[in-house]
Amino acid sequence: MAHVLCIPSGLTGGLYSSLELMRRLNADGHRVSCASPGDCQAAVTAAGFPYVQLTPNTYSEWSRVDKNVPWVRRLMDTSNRRRKAIEALGVERVAAELTEMQPDLVLIDRELHEHIIIALSLDLPLALTSTWFAIWRKPRIPPPHKGIIPGQTWKGSRAGIELYWRWLHLHKTRLAFREGVRHPGADRISVLKALANLHGVKLRKHIELYQWQIPFSYKSLPLLCLRSLEMEFPHKPPRTVHYMGPMINPQRVDQSTSTDSNAQLESILSRHRRDGNRVLIYCGFGSFFKTIEAFLYRLFEAAASRPDWDLIVPVGEDQMRKLGELSAENVHCFDWVPQLQVLGQADLALVHGGVNTIAECVHFGVPMIVYNQEFLDMPGNTARVVYHGIGVEGDIRGETPEEIRAKIDGILENAEIKTRVTTMRDRVLNSDRDKRVEDVVHELLAE
């Protein structure tokens, strides 16, 4: 029995995926534990795994303070500032903590660069985890922040995709230069390189600067991609990449809602189960940022004229105070809802393009209208939904209530989209049964 240590970043979507990865490894006979610089303790311990709280990374807070120091003083105090910046990474005790835990394999979120460097310095068996779709530079894979579909228009041509990758290269170079000027000697890349030198890690042989991830990605380390290859654009992944599937546990226990909210939600779902003529629409825009309120006003207006629809909208506590009073009889606002429970019955989902929500819609065979705000990888995720024909893209800023209503009706009446999303669900579930996670982890442990 091997000891597998998972180190997630703590962001909600990635944490859910990590917990399901841990559950599967535990069921395969491994001893699994978790550590994180994020606030994960409640969720991890509730799932039954040992947990170690790592020191949070406060580099962003340090850099905001450093930016206000006169530039000449910053330049003259470079070594001292760099030392403080390294301390702000929060990894001073991580080497001792990892050594004490004695894992046989460490699985670290690919964005936790400082923890990856420490694990490399200890020569621990190491693999990275990621919940993104492909972010590597390939001839038929566009950068994830662009909603480009390969083979469509000049943007999706081989030359067009290459042009966008070259533009990204220049953009990243400009960002790195700007940060180097703003924080001389203590910008993110310089600090991570200094940390690597401090711990005897030859970072240059591991990293790759010109892929999508900022500030860099890793070319030499195995990567467990917690996504489905079936949902990708067709391509051959790099040899170090292993697609594991979306890591969804339909039995997971989400945070609790109030008794009144639970009763209200169950009443809506029960009515939908009883009345086959009612349509249940879920509007889920994730936990990472706020939805555009103007869009919600237009959506509510679109739904109000269709009494046979039930629209369930989690809006967060702050927006709940503003929007709750605007709800029509068939528009139901909550500060939070258990997403999997609602998707298990939904006929349609309006989503923001977050990769975890898209995966959960596919898991339950729910067609989508994706209203993304062009944030991070959301355009690329949206392009994959459109490419596979399991949903359509909406315009969150420009669509009128009439256009929103027409788009919803169009999806509900489109049997082909429903068939495609059902087929995709079956393909993904079949791949889950192949024990990819267990087999890949066995290979890593054997190596």
Side-chain angles (χ1 to χ4, degrees), residues 133-172:
F133 282 118
I135 65 170
W136 34 88
R137 186 171 180 170
K138 287 273 188 175
R140 301 290 291 171
I141 297 294
H145 65 290
K146 296 293 181 182
I148 298 171
I149 298 178
Q152 294 188 13
T153 74
W154 73 267
K155 294 180 180 180
S157 68
R158 190 182 185 101
I161 291 173
E162 176 64 19
L163 184 64
Y164 276 103
W165 277 110
R166 288 177 181 270
W167 178 90
L168 177 65
H169 178 185
L170 292 173
H171 176 64
K172 288 183 69 172

Side-chain angles (χ1 to χ4, degrees), residues 132-136 141-144 165 212 225 227 232 235 243 384:
W132 291 323
F133 282 118
I135 65 170
W136 34 88
I141 297 294
W165 277 110
W212 183 71
C225 183
R227 298 270 69 91
E232 272 287 11
H235 76 288
Y243 277 84
R384 286 165 171 81

Side-chain angles (χ1 to χ4, degrees), residues 309 348 350 368-371 392-395 399-413:
W309 293 357
L348 174 67
L350 312 183
M368 290 162 270
I369 303 177
V370 188
Y371 288 98
V392 298
E393 183 175 5
D395 179 2
E399 285 183 359
T400 65
E402 293 73 25
E403 290 170 331
I404 294 171
R405 188 163 50 244
K407 186 158 283 183
I408 291 174
D409 280 331
I411 293 288
L412 293 173
E413 295 167 4

Side-chain angles (χ1 to χ4, degrees), residues 22-42:
M22 292 161 61
R23 187 192 67 80
R24 296 189 190 189
L25 293 177
N26 185 65
D28 196 42
H30 300 293
R31 180 166 65 91
V32 182
S33 59
C34 181
S36 177
D39 185 12
C40 303
Q41 184 163 1

Side-chain angles (χ1 to χ4, degrees), residues 5 43 79 93 127 150 188 215 225 309 356 385 399 412 430 436:
L5 173 64
S79 60
R93 297 183 59 249
R188 186 89 190 279
C225 183
W309 293 357
N356 295 293
V385 169
E399 285 183 359
L412 293 173
N430 285 335
R436 293 181 183 176

Side-chain angles (χ1 to χ4, degrees), residues 143-312:
H145 65 290
K146 296 293 181 182
I148 298 171
I149 298 178
Q152 294 188 13
T153 74
W154 73 267
K155 294 180 180 180
S157 68
R158 190 182 185 101
I161 291 173
E162 176 64 19
L163 184 64
Y164 276 103
W165 277 110
R166 288 177 181 270
W167 178 90
L168 177 65
H169 178 185
L170 292 173
H171 176 64
K172 288 183 69 172
T173 302
R174 182 178 63 84
L175 285 179
F177 176 78
R178 187 180 68 183
E179 287 302 298
V181 172
R182 184 177 296 171
H183 303 286
D187 59 279
R188 186 89 190 279
I189 293 179
S190 296
V191 170
L192 290 172
K193 288 181 177 179
L195 178 69
N197 290 335
L198 188 64
H199 289 272
V201 175
K202 295 180 179 179
L203 196 57
R204 184 182 297 273
K205 76 173 185 178
H206 295 290
I207 66 172
E208 198 161 27
L209 292 172
Y210 303 125
Q211 291 190 5
W212 183 71
Q213 186 179 359
I214 293 175
F216 46 69
S217 56
Y218 299 87
K219 58 187 177 182
S220 64
L221 299 176
L223 173 67
L224 308 188
C225 183
L226 308 185
R227 298 270 69 91
S228 298
L229 184 59
E230 292 76 11
M231 273 289 294
E232 272 287 11
F233 295 132
H235 76 288
K236 183 177 180 180
R239 62 178 182 79
T240 56
V241 175
H242 309 274
Y243 277 84
M244 300 288 96
M247 298 295 110
I248 296 170
N249 179 6
Q251 279 78 48
R252 80 169 183 234
V253 178
D254 290 330
Q255 70 185 61
S256 300
T257 57
S258 67
T259 303
D260 290 344
S261 294
N262 278 332
Q264 181 188 359
L265 180 62
E266 182 52 37
S267 174
I268 298 165
L269 297 179
S270 295
R271 181 170 63 171
H272 180 257
R273 289 193 292 268
R274 291 192 307 269
D275 187 348
N277 294 320
R278 296 199 66 79
V279 174
L280 182 63
I281 302 172
Y282 174 64
C283 179
F285 284 85
S287 60
F288 197 66
F289 60 91
K290 292 184 178 181
T291 307
I292 295 177
E293 289 182 9
F295 170 74
L296 291 180
Y297 297 147
R298 288 180 267 124
L299 173 62
F300 291 178
E301 184 179 339
S305 63
R306 296 298 302 270
D308 57 322
W309 293 357
D310 278 311
L311 180 65
I312 294 178

